[in-house]
């Protein structure tokens, strides 16, 4: 784990993956893919996984509204209490779950997150989602898929497949939270 040691000693190398323009272009492409894959766009509900997945979901909703010509229902899905690592993970305060007025029953739900890694976050999101209702279908949209799955989960809409070593880190920064838009690979 050479890169973990380098990170501890402050000798980490950073490789740019996405600029702000790349993120915008990628989300627009993903928006077109989502519209093309959902037979009845009126049933579409985006549910972002906090923190950055919720921001990406809001951005995708605006893009989809522009593409489809009508508003797209959007919410956020806190998964904190559904995680399987609560005992070992650091303290994390739950974020609010917001569900569109139409609910999720019978909806074509697209879960939105920033990075897909082990698949455990998505598994938790599926548990949280089923506690809210019974969607007609659930799809997954991620900005970056870095591999290393521990569960049989795959994304339906992927901004970029980014093979990485276990010791590397994908860092997504978004204007609404971090003051800038970028994705970098920390080596």
């Amino acid at each position: 784990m050479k890169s973990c040691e380098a990170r501890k000693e402050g000798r980490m190398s950073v490789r740019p993956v996405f600029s702000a323009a790349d993120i915008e272009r990628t989300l627009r492409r993903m928006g077109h893919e989502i519209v093309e894959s959902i037979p009845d766009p009126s049933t579409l509900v985006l549910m972002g996984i906090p923190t950055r997945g919720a921001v990406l979901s809001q951005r995708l909703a605006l893009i989809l509204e522009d593409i489809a010509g009508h508003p797209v229902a959007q919410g956020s899905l806190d998964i904190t209490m559904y995680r399987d690592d609560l005992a070992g993970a650091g303290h994390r305060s739950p974020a609010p779950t917001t569900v569109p007025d139409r609910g999720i029953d019978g909806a074509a739900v697209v879960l939105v997150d920033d990075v897909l890694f082990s698949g455990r976050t998505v598994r938790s999101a599926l548990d949280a989602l089923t506690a809210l209702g019974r969607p007609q279908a659930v799809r997954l949209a991620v900005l970056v898929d870095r591999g290393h799955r521990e569960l049989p989960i795959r994304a339906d809409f992927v901004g970029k497949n980014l093979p990485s070593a276990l010791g590397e880190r994908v860092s997504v920064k978004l204007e609404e939270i971090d003051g800038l838009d970028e994705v970098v690979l920390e080596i």
Side-chain angles (χ1 to χ4, degrees):
M1 295 244 170
K2 185 178 178 183
S3 58
C4 287
E5 293 167 10
R7 194 176 305 133
K8 288 177 189 173
E9 296 174 13
R11 297 185 329 234
M12 174 179 37
S13 167
V14 176
R15 189 181 94 201
V17 176
F18 277 149
S19 67
D22 295 331
I23 292 172
E24 175 62 27
R25 185 174 41 258
T26 299
L27 289 175
R28 187 154 291 283
R29 176 183 49 79
M30 291 171 67
H32 282 282
E33 291 173 2
I34 291 168
V35 166
E36 290 171 6
S37 72
I38 306 293
D40 181 3
S42 68
T43 66
L44 179 61
V45 174
L46 298 178
M47 294 294 286
I49 301 171
T51 300
R52 286 165 184 79
V55 171
L56 292 170
S57 176
Q58 292 167 354
R59 289 185 185 185
L60 265 174
L62 293 173
I63 290 168
L64 288 167
E65 182 176 338
D66 183 46
I67 294 168
H70 58 79
V72 173
Q74 190 273 328
S76 64
L77 183 67
D78 181 67
I79 62 162
T80 304
M81 301 313 292
Y82 294 90
R83 296 188 63 89
D84 61 5
D85 62 354
L86 279 176
H91 175 71
R92 178 178 171 167
S93 298
T97 290
T98 58
V99 180
D101 291 340
R102 74 164 314 271
I104 64 162
D105 288 332
V109 173
V110 176
L111 290 172
V112 181
D113 205 4
D114 57 349
V115 178
L116 177 57
F117 183 37
S118 68
R120 293 188 178 279
T121 296
V122 176
R123 188 221 33 96
S124 299
L126 290 169
D127 289 347
L129 193 65
T130 56
L132 295 175
R134 189 171 182 349
Q136 181 260 330
V138 180
R139 304 284 183 263
L140 176 61
V142 296
L143 188 60
V144 176
D145 182 346
R146 64 170 292 194
H148 303 288
R149 217 73 75 241
E150 296 172 5
L151 300 171
I153 290 174
R154 69 167 182 81
D156 300 280
F157 313 103
V158 178
K160 182 171 186 73
N161 285 297
L162 183 65
S164 59
L166 278 172
E168 296 172 340
R169 184 175 190 281
V170 174
S171 178
V172 175
K173 295 182 179 162
L174 299 174
E175 178 75 33
E176 296 87 337
I177 298 165
D178 308 296
L180 77 154
D181 281 351
E182 72 174 6
V183 178
V184 297
L185 180 63
E186 299 172 355
I187 303 171

